Amino acid sequence: MVASFAIFAVSYITVSLLKIAYHPSYMHPLPEGHRFPMIKYELIPAQLLYSGLIQADSLFEPDVASFQTIVQAHAADYCHQLIDVALPPAMVRRIGFPLSEALVARELRIVQGTIDGCFFAMQHGVALNVAGGTHHAGHDWGEGFCLLNDQAVAAAHLVNNGICRRVVIIDLDVHQGNGTAQIFGSDSRVFTFSMHGARNFPFRKERSDRDVGLPDGTGDEVYLELLAHHLDWIFEEVQPDFVFYQAGVDVLETDRLGKLALTKAGCFSRDELVFRSCKSADVPVQVSMGGGYSPHIRDIVDAHCRTFEAAIRCYD
């Protein structure tokens, strides 16, 4: 049964061009009591459909990404071990999920969904992935519930194949995008921007091209003013031809792991600000959902659904 969440859906919005990557395998079984809210990947598309915010033809099911695709951002040895379900136990513990063939296939689908979304975004301005934003996966490691870095692989795919000249990754999850920063540390074609909790995981930060560490308790007004300032600078100085947006909702004041204090309205304004900036610059944007750990699943799902709402409102 789908719970009815209070989202901003309105009947007159047309959504026929919006494309959203989703596959039933995104909802992967975990041991009872596991702290990762995997159920959200079932509830988000269900709620979007239930509310009338999207129609079924907005959803597309990605295939699994190939080995040749993922090694554009990840070390070949790490990818072989992952695909063979042969990662060392210490790495599996670092990731935080029990490793299985089904989990690896899920991750490969998420990656391909983000890549496919890039091309839909080039057609329609924006495209989204119900999952992804797995920004803690570095070149040769997984960490923090992230096995493969979907947006890093997709960014590498775009620049390596000459599809895009300069890409920006806007990471607004409460946790620094350390894996993304490490992967592109010496690649000037991909500009990494992370605005995150300064005193939050990962406690050993990597160096993004632009890092904004926020103090605990940062609320809507300060957050949005800072974000607007940095987005203005990025679009003026970097001048990207493609943007990836990691839209984690663990910035909410209700989040168990976040330490920031954004309201749902503030989080929605954050999304609108990113989308308006991309649209004003005529730069397509692919969106992956990122994290969210509020105690009540309805708060997580509601906030994620508002990201879809913000995209629809901006690009309708």
Side-chain angles (χ1 to χ4, degrees), residues 210-226:
R210 178 161 284 212
D211 281 304
V212 181
L214 302 172
D216 293 357
T218 299
D220 293 351
E221 183 176 357
V222 171
Y223 186 101
L224 294 171
E225 286 179 359
L226 278 170

mmCIF file of all heavy atoms in Angstrom, residues 210-226:
data_model
loop_
_atom_site.group_PDB
_atom_site.id
_atom_site.type_symbol
_atom_site.label_atom_id
_atom_site.label_comp_id
_atom_site.label_asym_id
_atom_site.label_seq_id
_atom_site.Cartn_x
_atom_site.Cartn_y
_atom_site.Cartn_z
ATOM 1 N N ARG A 210 35.757 22.743 -5.462
ATOM 2 C CA ARG A 210 35.210 23.760 -4.555
ATOM 3 C C ARG A 210 34.453 23.040 -3.447
ATOM 4 O O ARG A 210 33.465 22.356 -3.701
ATOM 5 C CB ARG A 210 34.304 24.736 -5.298
ATOM 6 C CG ARG A 210 33.677 25.789 -4.379
ATOM 7 C CD ARG A 210 33.156 27.004 -5.134
ATOM 8 N NE ARG A 210 34.236 27.883 -5.555
ATOM 9 C CZ ARG A 210 34.128 29.208 -5.652
ATOM 10 N NH1 ARG A 210 32.998 29.811 -5.335
ATOM 11 N NH2 ARG A 210 35.147 29.934 -6.061
ATOM 12 N N ASP A 211 34.942 23.170 -2.222
ATOM 13 C CA ASP A 211 34.307 22.587 -1.044
ATOM 14 C C ASP A 211 33.756 23.696 -0.169
ATOM 15 O O ASP A 211 34.446 24.693 0.095
ATOM 16 C CB ASP A 211 35.317 21.782 -0.215
ATOM 17 C CG ASP A 211 35.588 20.406 -0.791
ATOM 18 O OD1 ASP A 211 34.621 19.647 -0.967
ATOM 19 O OD2 ASP A 211 36.761 20.100 -1.065
ATOM 20 N N VAL A 212 32.524 23.526 0.298
ATOM 21 C CA VAL A 212 31.921 24.447 1.251
ATOM 22 C C VAL A 212 31.475 23.628 2.454
ATOM 23 O O VAL A 212 30.469 22.919 2.392
ATOM 24 C CB VAL A 212 30.731 25.202 0.637
ATOM 25 C CG1 VAL A 212 30.134 26.175 1.658
ATOM 26 C CG2 VAL A 212 31.157 25.959 -0.623
ATOM 27 N N GLY A 213 32.242 23.694 3.523
ATOM 28 C CA GLY A 213 31.906 22.967 4.736
ATOM 29 C C GLY A 213 31.033 23.818 5.641
ATOM 30 O O GLY A 213 31.421 24.943 5.998
ATOM 31 N N LEU A 214 29.876 23.305 5.997
ATOM 32 C CA LEU A 214 28.891 24.063 6.774
ATOM 33 C C LEU A 214 28.930 23.667 8.252
ATOM 34 O O LEU A 214 29.062 22.484 8.580
ATOM 35 C CB LEU A 214 27.486 23.807 6.233
ATOM 36 C CG LEU A 214 27.260 24.149 4.752
ATOM 37 C CD1 LEU A 214 25.893 23.658 4.306
ATOM 38 C CD2 LEU A 214 27.396 25.651 4.519
ATOM 39 N N PRO A 215 28.772 24.630 9.160
ATOM 40 C CA PRO A 215 28.703 24.282 10.584
ATOM 41 C C PRO A 215 27.402 23.564 10.918
ATOM 42 O O PRO A 215 26.388 23.728 10.231
ATOM 43 C CB PRO A 215 28.779 25.645 11.277
ATOM 44 C CG PRO A 215 28.302 26.627 10.261
ATOM 45 C CD PRO A 215 28.707 26.089 8.921
ATOM 46 N N ASP A 216 27.431 22.776 11.974
ATOM 47 C CA ASP A 216 26.224 22.113 12.465
ATOM 48 C C ASP A 216 25.127 23.147 12.687
ATOM 49 O O ASP A 216 25.388 24.265 13.165
ATOM 50 C CB ASP A 216 26.504 21.388 13.784
ATOM 51 C CG ASP A 216 27.444 20.212 13.618
ATOM 52 O OD1 ASP A 216 27.844 19.915 12.481
ATOM 53 O OD2 ASP A 216 27.798 19.602 14.648
ATOM 54 N N GLY A 217 23.892 22.763 12.353
ATOM 55 C CA GLY A 217 22.757 23.627 12.614
ATOM 56 C C GLY A 217 22.471 24.656 11.541
ATOM 57 O O GLY A 217 21.550 25.472 11.698
ATOM 58 N N THR A 218 23.224 24.657 10.449
ATOM 59 C CA THR A 218 22.968 25.610 9.362
ATOM 60 C C THR A 218 21.541 25.448 8.850
ATOM 61 O O THR A 218 21.112 24.339 8.531
ATOM 62 C CB THR A 218 23.970 25.407 8.207
ATOM 63 O OG1 THR A 218 25.296 25.631 8.694
ATOM 64 C CG2 THR A 218 23.672 26.364 7.058
ATOM 65 N N GLY A 219 20.809 26.556 8.764
ATOM 66 C CA GLY A 219 19.408 26.530 8.355
ATOM 67 C C GLY A 219 19.190 27.083 6.959
ATOM 68 O O GLY A 219 20.134 27.383 6.221
ATOM 69 N N ASP A 220 17.912 27.257 6.616
ATOM 70 C CA ASP A 220 17.516 27.599 5.253
ATOM 71 C C ASP A 220 18.186 28.868 4.735
ATOM 72 O O ASP A 220 18.741 28.885 3.633
ATOM 73 C CB ASP A 220 15.994 27.784 5.171
ATOM 74 C CG ASP A 220 15.217 26.506 5.404
ATOM 75 O OD1 ASP A 220 15.851 25.428 5.466
ATOM 76 O OD2 ASP A 220 13.979 26.584 5.522
ATOM 77 N N GLU A 221 18.085 29.953 5.487
ATOM 78 C CA GLU A 221 18.506 31.254 4.960
ATOM 79 C C GLU A 221 19.989 31.276 4.615
ATOM 80 O O GLU A 221 20.380 31.662 3.493
ATOM 81 C CB GLU A 221 18.182 32.358 5.968
ATOM 82 C CG GLU A 221 18.516 33.751 5.463
ATOM 83 C CD GLU A 221 18.111 34.850 6.434
ATOM 84 O OE1 GLU A 221 17.511 34.538 7.481
ATOM 85 O OE2 GLU A 221 18.398 36.023 6.126
ATOM 86 N N VAL A 222 20.832 30.860 5.546
ATOM 87 C CA VAL A 222 22.272 30.855 5.300
ATOM 88 C C VAL A 222 22.620 29.886 4.187
ATOM 89 O O VAL A 222 23.424 30.194 3.288
ATOM 90 C CB VAL A 222 23.038 30.505 6.593
ATOM 91 C CG1 VAL A 222 24.517 30.275 6.307
ATOM 92 C CG2 VAL A 222 22.863 31.611 7.627
ATOM 93 N N TYR A 223 22.020 28.698 4.227
ATOM 94 C CA TYR A 223 22.305 27.679 3.229
ATOM 95 C C TYR A 223 21.990 28.189 1.822
ATOM 96 O O TYR A 223 22.815 28.086 0.901
ATOM 97 C CB TYR A 223 21.484 26.418 3.535
ATOM 98 C CG TYR A 223 21.809 25.236 2.648
ATOM 99 C CD1 TYR A 223 22.625 24.209 3.100
ATOM 100 C CD2 TYR A 223 21.280 25.128 1.357
ATOM 101 C CE1 TYR A 223 22.920 23.120 2.297
ATOM 102 C CE2 TYR A 223 21.577 24.049 0.552
ATOM 103 C CZ TYR A 223 22.395 23.046 1.024
ATOM 104 O OH TYR A 223 22.691 21.967 0.209
ATOM 105 N N LEU A 224 20.809 28.743 1.628
ATOM 106 C CA LEU A 224 20.378 29.164 0.298
ATOM 107 C C LEU A 224 21.182 30.358 -0.203
ATOM 108 O O LEU A 224 21.480 30.457 -1.404
ATOM 109 C CB LEU A 224 18.885 29.469 0.311
ATOM 110 C CG LEU A 224 17.983 28.253 0.558
ATOM 111 C CD1 LEU A 224 16.545 28.692 0.780
ATOM 112 C CD2 LEU A 224 18.081 27.240 -0.588
ATOM 113 N N GLU A 225 21.552 31.265 0.688
ATOM 114 C CA GLU A 225 22.388 32.397 0.277
ATOM 115 C C GLU A 225 23.759 31.914 -0.201
ATOM 116 O O GLU A 225 24.275 32.372 -1.233
ATOM 117 C CB GLU A 225 22.550 33.377 1.441
ATOM 118 C CG GLU A 225 21.307 34.198 1.735
ATOM 119 C CD GLU A 225 21.504 35.147 2.910
ATOM 120 O OE1 GLU A 225 22.618 35.138 3.493
ATOM 121 O OE2 GLU A 225 20.563 35.884 3.244
ATOM 122 N N LEU A 226 24.355 30.989 0.550
ATOM 123 C CA LEU A 226 25.648 30.454 0.145
ATOM 124 C C LEU A 226 25.552 29.702 -1.178
ATOM 125 O O LEU A 226 26.400 29.863 -2.065
ATOM 126 C CB LEU A 226 26.182 29.508 1.231
ATOM 127 C CG LEU A 226 26.878 30.145 2.425
ATOM 128 C CD1 LEU A 226 27.131 29.094 3.505
ATOM 129 C CD2 LEU A 226 28.203 30.776 1.990
#
